[in-house]
Amino acid sequence: MAAEQGLSLVDLDANGVDVQFRADVLRGLGEVQKAIPARWFYDEVGSQLFEDITGQPEYYPTRAETEILQSRSSEFRELIGPGRAVVEFGSGSSVKTPLLLGSIAPAAYVPLDISGDFLRAAAADLAEKFPGLPVHPVEADFMRQVQLPEAVADQPKLGFFPGSTIGNMVARTAVDLLRTMRATLGEGSQLLIGMDLIKDPDVLEAAYDDAAGVTAAFNLNLAERINRELGGTIPISALRHVARWNDDFARIEMHLEAVRSIAFEVSGRRFEMAEGETIHTENSHKFSRRSSNTLLLAGGWTPRHRWFDSAERFSLILADATVPRSAP
Ligand code: AVJ
């Protein structure tokens, strides 16, 4: 299918509609609790809005993680060592990746991303900042095992998965991804992964409902994207952004809530929402030291070192690929 021959991984129909987007939206709006996978936030508008979120005073994760990367350079160098191929899951953010690469003297940098455009931009940016560093971008869906370039086959790997993006997945999907990463990276690999921490629900809810309304715009853009790309007639002004802490699952949930009863069409199909009914658009799980250990171990990774920002809001964990052995 589309994944072959270096073609785009995005499957478009004859009208240019993203087939997977339409399938996910139609299925999700048909569920009892309406839900749409969070990955569909990130069209061009949504990606820009996320960048804007990271600059909001209430949204601490990006600043906290960047602080760790800035302040622990010598510890990274010591615990990771030189000569590794850094494999980043999702193409590099402008700030975090150079901080890591500058700390550890890597042998190569391999950004993986499903979007060829983001990938090429990130690769060009990094190649310019690190002139001697071989950069091998791979257009791939990292939720599946990826065949890494031949050039890095014999180099030990460091997986890099910042941002607490793992928190967007429910435990079962997160474990699948961690195991897939292990298969992609191989024996002897390490993983440096960002995981946001459980804290006061008021702080968390504010981080996902900033006063300037940028997160609200980010959430509502999903409904706008449905209208733009799938011939939707969702009345945007009848939807309200909601961010709420779910203590049982230790996660922030984002929803779009109907402020009155509405009916609309998407791709010719009709849907209704009662007043107060929601579309669940994102989970952002938060972790304790124990729950992060449990998740990593279940995914085949042994946590070796953990760093926190000075306010202890966010953690960056270095783990290595566990060699399975029998108990005890
Ligand atoms: C990019 C997935 C880490 O969950 O904090 C930010 C996305 N959503 N504000 C997060 C997001 C709302 C973000 N991640």
Side-chain angles (χ1 to χ4, degrees):
M1 292 229 310
E4 282 147 31
Q5 308 297 335
L7 291 174
S8 168
L9 293 171
V10 180
D11 221 337
L12 303 180
D13 77 1
N15 300 314
V17 175
D18 186 322
V19 174
Q20 192 61 50
F21 180 43
R22 180 173 50 207
D24 280 358
V25 169
L26 293 178
R27 188 185 326 106
L29 292 178
E31 304 279 339
V32 174
Q33 168 61 68
K34 292 178 167 60
I36 297 171
R39 59 180 283 231
W40 299 113
F41 279 133
Y42 300 95
D43 66 351
E44 230 181 279
V45 178
S47 299
Q48 183 56 54
L49 283 167
F50 176 67
E51 284 304 311
D52 297 346
I53 286 172
T54 64
Q56 297 309 302
E58 299 93 334
Y59 192 77
Y60 61 85
T62 309
R63 282 188 301 277
E65 191 175 40
T66 302
E67 183 206 307
I68 301 170
L69 285 164
Q70 268 164 348
S71 60
R72 303 307 183 103
S73 180
S74 60
E75 292 169 50
F76 296 140
R77 200 194 323 269
E78 198 177 303
L79 289 162
I80 295 165
R84 286 191 182 258
V86 174
V87 178
E88 181 161 10
F89 295 88
S91 50
S93 74
S94 41
V95 184
K96 294 174 195 171
T97 309
L99 288 170
L100 175 65
L101 297 179
S103 299
I104 61 169
Y109 173 59
V110 184
L112 309 180
D113 204 285
I114 198 162
S115 157
D117 294 340
F118 285 130
L119 187 65
R120 280 182 285 277
D125 189 45
L126 258 300
E128 197 178 311
K129 284 185 176 118
F130 297 89
L133 181 69
V135 177
H136 307 283
V138 178
E139 196 170 344
D141 176 1
F142 62 68
M143 300 298 288
R144 298 166 189 223
Q145 189 175 336
V146 177
Q147 180 77 48
L148 296 178
E150 199 52 47
V152 303
D154 296 329
Q155 297 165 353
K157 315 293 187 301
L158 172 72
F160 185 42
F161 196 40
S164 201
T165 302
I166 193 82
N168 277 173
M169 288 153 227
V170 297
R172 173 190 171 144
T173 314
V175 167
D176 283 350
L177 174 59
L178 289 166
R179 297 177 75 93
T180 300
M181 287 173 162
R182 196 184 177 292
T184 293
L185 297 170
E187 293 294 319
S189 56
Q190 294 177 314
L191 177 67
L192 187 63
I193 183 170
M195 295 175 93
D196 195 13
L197 298 169
I198 297 172
K199 59 183 62 65
D200 182 346
D202 291 340
V203 173
L204 288 168
E205 286 180 352
Y208 291 82
D209 191 8
D210 58 277
V214 182
T215 308
F218 174 73
N219 197 4
L220 286 160
N221 176 60
L222 180 58
E224 284 159 11
R225 180 179 184 187
I226 292 169
N227 285 354
R228 282 194 296 269
E229 295 184 24
L230 304 178
T233 62
I234 303 171
I236 304 297
S237 62
L239 295 177
R240 177 175 89 89
H241 166 66
V242 176
R244 64 167 96 107
W245 174 245
N246 181 331
D247 196 56
D248 287 333
F249 288 97
R251 68 193 185 200
I252 285 283
E253 296 182 2
M254 297 208 313
H255 294 256
L256 291 167
E257 183 185 302
V259 299
R260 55 183 167 82
S261 80
I262 55 176
F264 55 84
E265 282 190 6
V266 176
S267 285
R269 297 245 299 262
R270 190 186 142 88
F271 299 95
E272 293 177 359
M273 292 178 76
E275 180 181 340
E277 188 179 346
T278 70
I279 306 171
H280 187 179
T281 52
E282 187 180 60
N283 289 317
S284 196
H285 291 86
K286 307 302 170 186
F287 302 92
S288 66
R289 295 168 200 224
R290 285 179 184 169
S291 72
S292 60
N293 283 346
T294 304
L295 187 63
L296 286 166
L297 289 164
W301 295 93
T302 302
R304 294 294 183 201
H305 202 91
R306 185 186 311 260
W307 293 274
F308 302 96
D309 63 302
S310 51
E312 297 199 28
R313 294 166 298 184
F314 197 93
S315 64
L316 200 55
I317 302 169
L318 182 66
D320 51 37
T322 309
V323 179
R325 54 198 282 282
S326 46

